[in-house]
């Protein structure tokens, strides 16, 4: 039972998920059934709302080796202050965050035509006490 609960846990760039989501704009959790990471991120079209997307660990590597970002590898590594090898050794949360910061959510996850969810709805889903300041971008 405890093993399954681990997969339900959200992780962020900060130890505190509230800080990770509302200050850094990203939470991730692994979904074994999808063999991918579910990402909850700040919607770029409306920063008071949040959207969901998926990112596979293999895609993070492949996009730089043979896919659309292959010409950006050196500038990306310079931006994140790490060599390619060092970046690959970072946690998946950090790698997704780095890619999201460098390319933006639209390039990584595509358009969220639903418009995303409000901070209040996200707080309810994550069992976090809602605070009005969470609406601020």
């Amino acid at each position: 039972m405890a093993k399954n609960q681990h997969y339900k846990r959200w992780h962020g760039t900060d130890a505190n998920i509230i800080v990770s989501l509302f200050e850094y704009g990203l939470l991730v959790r692994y979904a074994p059934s999808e063999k991918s990471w579910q990402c909850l991120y700040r919607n770029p079209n409306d920063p008071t709302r949040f959207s969901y997307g998926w990112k596979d660990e293999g895609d993070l590597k492949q996009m730089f080796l043979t896919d659309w970002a292959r010409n950006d590898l050196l500038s990306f590594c310079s931006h994140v202050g790490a060599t390619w090898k060092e970046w690959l050794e970072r946690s998946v949360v950090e790698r997704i965050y780095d890619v999201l910061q460098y390319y933006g959510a639209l390039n990584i996850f595509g358009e969220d035509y639903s418009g995303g969810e409000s901070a209040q709805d996200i707080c309810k889903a994550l069992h976090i006490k809602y605070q009005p300041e969470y609406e601020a971008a």
Side-chain angles (χ1 to χ4, degrees):
M1 184 70 167
K3 187 175 183 181
N4 290 339
Q5 287 178 338
H6 171 72
Y7 293 119
K8 293 179 182 179
R9 248 186 51 215
W10 289 95
H11 307 276
T13 55
D14 190 274
N16 184 315
I17 66 166
I18 295 169
V19 171
S20 291
L21 183 60
F22 295 109
E23 289 186 27
Y24 294 102
L26 178 69
L27 289 178
V28 302
R29 67 178 173 182
Y30 187 72
S33 61
E34 301 291 326
K35 296 182 179 149
S36 188
W37 291 85
Q38 183 181 26
C39 303
L40 176 57
Y41 61 94
R42 191 174 293 282
N43 186 303
N45 295 325
D46 182 351
T48 65
R49 301 186 69 79
F50 295 86
S51 298
Y52 292 93
W54 293 89
K55 197 42 75 187
D56 178 88
E57 281 188 76
D59 290 344
L60 286 173
K61 186 176 178 179
Q62 211 55 32
M63 66 186 257
F64 288 109
L65 296 179
T66 61
D67 211 349
W68 61 273
R70 69 183 170 277
N71 295 329
D72 299 335
L73 182 57
L74 291 176
S75 62
F76 175 79
C77 286
S78 176
H79 174 77
V80 299
T83 66
W84 174 242
K85 185 179 178 187
E86 290 168 341
W87 186 73
L88 289 174
E89 292 171 353
R90 291 181 179 180
S91 73
V92 71
V93 176
E94 290 175 291
R95 286 184 282 140
I96 292 172
Y97 180 77
D98 289 343
V99 166
L100 192 61
Q101 292 301 303
Y102 190 76
Y103 289 107
L106 290 175
N107 288 319
I108 300 304
F109 299 114
E111 183 71 51
D112 177 1
Y113 294 104
S114 74
E117 296 186 39
S118 69
Q120 198 163 12
D121 289 338
I122 292 299
C123 286
K124 185 176 180 181
L126 297 177
H127 307 288
I128 296 170
K129 184 179 179 195
Y130 172 75
Q131 300 290 328
E133 60 264 20
Y134 295 160
E135 298 287 343

